[in-house]
Amino acid sequence: MTPPLAPPGWSRWLVPPAALSVHLSIGQAYAWSVFKPPLESALGLSGTQSALPFQLGIVMLGLSAAFGGTLVERNGPRWAMTVALSCFSSGFLLAALGAATEQYWLIVFGYGFVGGIGLGIGYISPVSTLIKWFPDRPGMATGIAIMGFGGGALIASPWSAQMLESFGADSEGIAYAFLVHGLVYAAFMTLGVLLIRVPPPGYRQQTPAATDGAVAPPAGSPVPTGRPAAGLISTAQVSAKSAVRTPQFWCLWVVLCMNVTAGIGILEKAAPMITDFFAGTSTPVSVSASAGFVALLSAANMAGRIGWSSASDLLGRKNVYRVYLGVGAVMYLLIARFGDSSKPLFVVCALVILSFYGGGFATAPAYLKDLFGTYQVGAIHGRLLTAWSTAGVLGPLIVNWVADSQEKAGKSGSGLYGVSLTIMIGLLAVGFVANELIRPVHPRHHIPAPREASDDHVTSEQRRSA
């Protein structure tokens, strides 16, 4: 499929809404917990079983992004969005059939496997295109789209709850809710498919800055021709195959994995954690208050994706990850030492950590662009997202396993989490060191660029050799 080129006069500001239509849809994944209690009741499932569709979906997100990233680069964003639409919506329709016939395996296969492929392809579908349209502000551009993934649950959660209330929480009602989700998301994601455009060959709104974190010069300034820039922003191009052979990729993989592990450790157990911390105090946390706390964390997650990623355009990607990892470790330390003595302190620290969690996701594509160029940044980003799959298992495992072992040892309240919080601080320290080790990519990994780099800057011969 030939990527749709933007006609003369096309506004680049039409591309973020196209990306948002996809990310707001697939962001429904974070609202899966709404379906857990009805599924457990209607189909007689355990908590572990009802979580399986979501867990498989996240695993497939990472795998499909890693293995499908090159196809996304080759076929363009419209093809990728179409595949994401087909898989994500079909996953809901299969899940609806599974609920209607009370075949749990079909729900797992539909939502988890088929829908999970849609999650992964949809997540990376607009990234490369946004970076090419916004070379002057790649952090802001990707932040807008990836903010949608964090904010999708804020829409899907009350909407799903309302449908279950209207249709009923039995298997038939769940089936109708899945069916409506599949049809509505298909229509909404179609807007993105129709609206997306790639920049024409030679497009250059602004040139990348020559130093790490500096603001790009005005449009019309001379464009570098493949020479490595000073600092961490390179104008050279690196293929996905070569990128995964560099220490920079694996350092950034560790950075993202550690940052996500720390954030998801709080996100996955937010409600019981705040309840446990203040269970033995004079002001215990009610169920409604803990639910409100979870909503606040979702808002912080979403705000961090656009706020911190935009700030990275000014501060530099390496500097903003220093904030995520260094300040994040301090926030965990404050919760571990003083969290059970002050609710405002606990809440503020948790909100900051979740803003870093979201910001880390949104800043990663721009960091990759700085290091490896725009040539196959979508494919490289897909491979990097395997760090998310790893962290999605690692974070909850650490918090839950430690809490269970501490409970068996007779501890309660905040004592359930002291060890796991200390582990998170250690992981963030590892990520901080990995970030400090990131240096410009060695020229031996660069694709030769005999002519001016553009969105279509790599010749067919160079593509084959890469």
Side-chain angles (χ1 to χ4, degrees):
M1 178 182 291
T2 303
L5 284 178
W10 180 267
S11 172
R12 65 178 182 166
W13 291 101
L14 293 173
V15 180
L20 270 175
S21 72
V22 173
H23 273 246
L24 282 171
S25 299
I26 63 177
Q28 183 279 335
Y30 276 151
W32 174 255
S33 59
V34 174
F35 289 102
K36 281 171 61 67
L39 281 171
E40 292 168 17
S41 175
L43 302 182
L45 305 177
S46 66
T48 302
Q49 288 175 317
S50 66
L52 185 57
F54 169 77
Q55 291 173 323
L56 180 58
I58 295 300
V59 170
M60 292 307 301
L61 186 157
L63 293 177
S64 61
F67 291 104
T70 303
L71 290 175
V72 172
E73 288 290 335
R74 183 182 304 156
N75 297 320
R78 176 168 290 176
W79 174 88
M81 288 182 176
T82 302
V83 171
L85 182 160
S86 302
C87 291
F88 189 65
S89 297
S90 297
F92 269 114
L93 299 182
L94 288 171
L97 180 61
T101 59
E102 299 188 2
Q103 297 293 315
Y104 172 64
W105 69 269
L106 194 52
I107 297 176
V108 175
F109 175 76
Y111 187 91
F113 185 82
V114 179
I117 295 173
L119 285 177
I121 300 299
Y123 192 89
I124 63 174
S125 62
V127 169
S128 178
T129 303
L130 282 165
I131 287 176
K132 291 171 183 175
W133 274 113
F134 292 85
D136 52 321
R137 287 179 278 184
M140 180 213 68
T142 56
I144 290 174
I146 294 176
M147 174 188 69
F149 192 85
L154 295 180
I155 299 171
S157 184
W159 180 45
S160 301
Q162 182 60 50
M163 275 196 285
L164 289 171
E165 185 177 334
S166 300
F167 296 140
D170 57 1
S171 59
E172 184 179 354
I174 296 170
Y176 277 123
F178 283 154
L179 177 63
V180 173
H181 274 77
L183 296 177
V184 171
Y185 282 135
F188 194 57
M189 294 171 76
T190 299
L191 296 176
V193 172
L194 297 176
L195 195 59
I196 194 69
R197 297 286 188 280
V198 298
Y203 171 82
R204 181 71 63 180
Q205 179 72 15
Q206 285 186 326
T207 349
T211 57
D212 185 21
V215 179
S221 298
V223 180
T225 58
R227 172 181 55 82
L232 287 181
I233 297 184
S234 174
T235 56
Q237 308 297 327
V238 180
S239 70
K241 184 178 179 181
S242 296
V244 297
R245 298 172 179 170
T246 65
Q248 288 82 357
F249 175 86
W250 292 106
C251 282
L252 189 52
W253 191 96
V254 171
V255 167
L256 183 63
C257 185
M258 298 300 101
N259 188 64
V260 173
T261 299
I264 209 168
I266 279 190
L267 185 63
E268 192 271 341
K269 208 170 176 66
M273 183 180 287
I274 192 172
T275 302
D276 290 336
F277 257 79
F278 298 97
T281 68
S282 58
T283 55
V285 176
S286 66
V287 174
S288 60
S290 64
F293 174 63
V294 173
L296 280 176
L297 291 181
S298 298
N301 178 12
M302 182 176 65
R305 292 172 186 247
I306 180 62
W308 288 115
S309 60
S310 297
S312 75
D313 290 330
L314 300 175
L315 301 175
R317 251 59 76 174
K318 190 168 188 174
N319 287 333
V320 83
Y321 270 100
R322 285 169 174 153
V323 173
Y324 298 157
L325 300 160
V327 178
V330 173
M331 295 296 104
Y332 265 114
L333 180 61
L334 290 174
I335 290 177
R337 293 293 301 274
F338 309 109
D340 57 353
S341 61
S342 172
K343 280 184 186 176
L345 177 67
F346 182 95
V347 171
V348 169
C349 289
L351 291 177
V352 172
I353 290 170
L354 261 294
S355 76
F356 293 161
Y357 169 80
F361 277 122
T363 311
Y367 209 160
L368 291 172
K369 177 259 182 188
D370 291 350
L371 292 169
F372 303 110
T374 59
Y375 169 38
Q376 288 190 333
V377 68
I380 300 170
H381 184 222
R383 288 159 171 77
L384 187 72
L385 288 180
T386 55
W388 184 3
S389 295
T390 303
V393 174
L394 192 59
L397 180 64
I398 291 172
V399 175
N400 288 293
W401 179 77
V402 171
D404 289 344
S405 63
Q406 294 297 302
E407 188 174 12
K408 290 178 182 177
K411 294 188 178 182
S412 60
S414 60
L416 296 173
Y417 304 100
V419 175
S420 57
L421 293 176
T422 302
I423 293 174
M424 295 300 179
I425 293 171
L427 293 177
L428 288 171
V430 171
F432 191 92
V433 172
N435 185 53
E436 293 303 308
L437 293 176
I438 294 177
R439 299 288 186 270
V441 176
H442 194 280
R444 72 173 178 272
H445 297 290
H446 297 168
I447 293 174
R451 58 191 178 87
E452 180 180 310
S454 69
D455 297 323
D456 209 7
H457 46 267
V458 181
T459 66
S460 299
E461 182 179 350
Q462 290 166 348
R463 290 179 191 273
R464 287 194 295 270
S465 64

